[in-house]
Amino acid sequence: RGWSPPGAPATRLVEARMADDFGGFEVAVREYVATLSASELSDADAPSPLAYDELRRKGRVDLVEGCMRHGGYIKVSKQLGLPLRLAAPPPAPPPSSFSEPE
């Protein structure tokens, strides 16, 4: 069993999050996704709901670990049909105007 703060009831959600099987993890992810606003799911400028930084920001390190255990957040997002928005890499710096002395 996973750690629970003193006095916190052990819930089905906690048990599901800690499960090694994908079905139990899927329950926890779907319950988390149900708490998100419509804009968090549909806004093209919003981060992917299961992006590690987003999950950490919302205090869901358990889901970060679950995603990693099940192949990564990209794989899990695709498997569950969740929005996946990958940020483009930053643009390359412009070429230097510095020229070698002759």
Side-chain angles (χ1 to χ4, degrees), residues 9-102:
T11 64
R12 188 174 65 91
L13 179 59
V14 170
E15 294 299 320
R17 285 195 311 248
M18 298 304 154
D20 285 327
D21 69 293
F22 188 79
F25 176 65
E26 180 180 1
V27 169
V29 170
R30 297 232 183 253
E31 288 178 358
Y32 163 74
V33 170
T35 68
L36 301 178
S37 69
S39 65
E40 288 175 293
L41 296 172
S42 63
D43 185 351
D45 292 329
S48 295
L50 297 184
Y52 298 137
D53 287 344
E54 188 66 7
L55 290 172
R56 282 187 190 102
R57 187 176 70 76
K58 293 187 176 205
R60 296 306 303 266
V61 176
D62 59 324
L63 295 182
V64 170
E65 292 169 358
C67 284
M68 290 179 178
R69 194 168 39 244
H70 294 289
Y73 86 88
I74 293 172
K75 180 180 178 182
V76 171
S77 295
K78 288 178 180 178
Q79 221 169 335
L80 299 181
L82 297 174
L84 183 60
R85 300 175 200 101
L86 302 175
S96 174
S97 60
F98 177 76
S99 59
E100 296 280 330
E102 295 182 24

